Every structure is written in C-alpha cells, then in structure tokens.
Amino acid sequence: MDSMESRQHLEQLYREAIYEVDLPAGTVAFQVGAALPPALPVPLALVTAWNPGNERPGEPANRAANRRLEAELARRGLPFFPARGRDEAGAHVEPSFAIVGILREDALALARSFGQAAVVYAVAGGAELLWCEAGPAASA
C-alpha cells in the first residue's frame, strides 16, 4: 500500500470509528461529521499514543505509551477524560484521552510528539479529523 492509499485507508477508519468519552455524568459517543451530543464539552481533542502512524507495536508497548501520554497531560495540567476510538463492532478499540479546552495547534503538536497520524477535534459545529503532518491539506 503506497502512502496515498495508506492515508485514504486511515481516513476511512477514522471516519467510520465511534468515539466514546467517559464523562462524570456518563459516556457520550460521537462520530466525525455527525452532530455532537450536547453533554460533550468543546473544544475537545481525542489523542492517543496507541498504534502510532501505521505501526502496530502490540499491547504492552501501546499501554506504556498511553501511560506516558497520560503523565504528560497531568504534567501540563490539562483537563482530560478517559476516551477511546473503536470500530462499530467493538473488535478494535484504541484507548485515548479527551482533552478539554486544548487549542487545535496544541492538540496536533501533542499527537505528533507521540507519532500519531491524526486527531479528532470537536468544536461546537461538530467533530473533524486533523492530520498531523504539516501543510495546507492537513485538515479534512
């Protein structure tokens, strides 16, 4: 698979995924391009350290990377909630963090530092997919 096919495949997976955020009042779910639940605080970015880019390092390495991400969020004093992205069947789940109030650029920089290809960024108008590579076509 070349890089364009890989990007298109990843984009399809991100767009089909269901994103869940564990808020104190309960779990809310949403998808890129769909209306957001009213309970979801915005702006909000979903960032993970799981499966960076096209790599699949295995569960122990993914858990360790996500622990490092969680420690970094705490070190920065960023408010966050446990979250995850999953396929519709729930066969593939990637633990994430929903970071409340983070700026788009800061979310991208954080995700880049953990080798991620993209982040989901939610604002009042809905959720969008932001690609971590630089350039004018970085958001979709």
Side-chain angles (χ1 to χ4, degrees):
M1 192 179 310
D2 69 22
S3 65
M4 183 57 124
E5 288 173 334
S6 177
R7 161 98 178 241
Q8 289 171 338
H9 178 71
L10 270 178
E11 183 166 348
Q12 180 180 353
L13 292 175
Y14 279 114
R15 291 188 181 281
E16 291 174 353
I18 297 168
Y19 301 97
E20 298 172 329
V21 179
D22 298 331
L23 299 171
T27 300
V28 295
F30 66 96
Q31 288 185 283
V32 170
L36 296 177
L40 190 71
V42 292
L44 174 140
L46 259 73
V47 178
T48 186
W50 208 268
N51 291 335
N54 287 319
E55 296 177 35
R56 300 297 176 259
E59 192 166 331
N62 280 325
R63 286 190 187 284
N66 245 22
R67 282 193 300 273
R68 288 191 304 276
L69 173 57
E70 183 175 20
E72 179 62 17
L73 296 174
R75 185 189 72 75
R76 293 184 186 191
L78 295 169
F80 65 91
F81 298 101
R84 70 208 135 275
R86 64 172 178 84
D87 65 5
E88 189 174 354
H92 180 79
V93 179
E94 290 195 4
S96 306
F97 299 98
I99 309 162
V100 180
I102 191 168
L103 298 174
R104 178 185 315 256
E105 298 77 21
D106 293 340
L108 284 167
L110 181 63
R112 281 184 198 111
S113 73
F114 282 87
Q116 295 301 304
V119 297
V120 172
Y121 194 75
V123 294
E128 61 184 315
L129 183 60
L130 303 177
W131 292 98
C132 289
E133 74 264 7
S139 87

